[in-house]
Amino acid sequence: MGFITGTILVLFIFVSLFLILLVLIQTGKGGMGGVLGGGASQSVFGSSTADVLTKATRVTAVLFLALSLILSFLFAKNSGYNTTPLPITPEVSAPTGAENPGGTDAVQPTNSDPKNPGSTGGTQP
């Protein structure tokens, strides 16, 4: 793994953890948000914090997506996976019975002894 890939991977992990933290800090629009103390965070941090958290979440989410795409391309390039499509090659058809009039695909023995034309290459008893 190269220096750039390692640096982007560490940055990706920090961005992921920060995104999780941002989502957990935000208060809901109602429902069960006040049960776990979600209502108290608005008075502690101020009223304009929701806008800041929403903008920070959007920026962090876009950064998360961009880093994940960059990492996928870098790891695909390092692993040797070919991301370009292969050229289309014409298919080769199998031989038909017209090319082989005997109808069998067995290999016929050849004459391996030039002195004895009737020999098929085997030993005679």
Side-chain angles (χ1 to χ4, degrees):
M1 175 172 18
F3 176 74
I4 294 176
T5 307
T7 305
I8 292 175
L9 184 61
V10 169
L11 183 64
F12 179 72
I13 291 171
F14 284 136
V15 167
S16 302
L17 293 175
F18 187 63
L19 183 62
I20 291 171
L21 180 72
L22 282 175
V23 170
L24 289 177
I25 283 177
Q26 293 182 14
T27 59
K29 302 252 189 241
M32 299 291 286
V35 173
L36 298 174
S41 67
Q42 191 171 15
S43 64
V44 172
F45 295 121
S47 62
S48 66
T49 319
D51 294 335
V52 173
L53 288 176
T54 304
K55 290 177 184 177
T57 304
R58 286 182 187 153
V59 169
T60 307
V62 169
L63 189 62
F64 175 82
L65 291 174
L67 287 175
S68 64
L69 286 174
I70 291 169
L71 279 174
S72 69
F73 285 122
L74 286 175
F75 278 115
K77 189 175 183 180
N78 288 342
S79 69
Y81 180 74
N82 191 2
T83 57
T84 58
L86 295 174
I88 299 174
T89 57
E91 293 183 16
V92 178
S93 62
T96 60
E99 295 172 358
N100 191 359
T104 62
D105 292 333
V107 178
Q108 299 295 327
T110 59
N111 184 4
S112 62
D113 188 9
K115 294 181 183 176
N116 188 0
S119 171
T120 58
T123 58
Q124 294 180 352

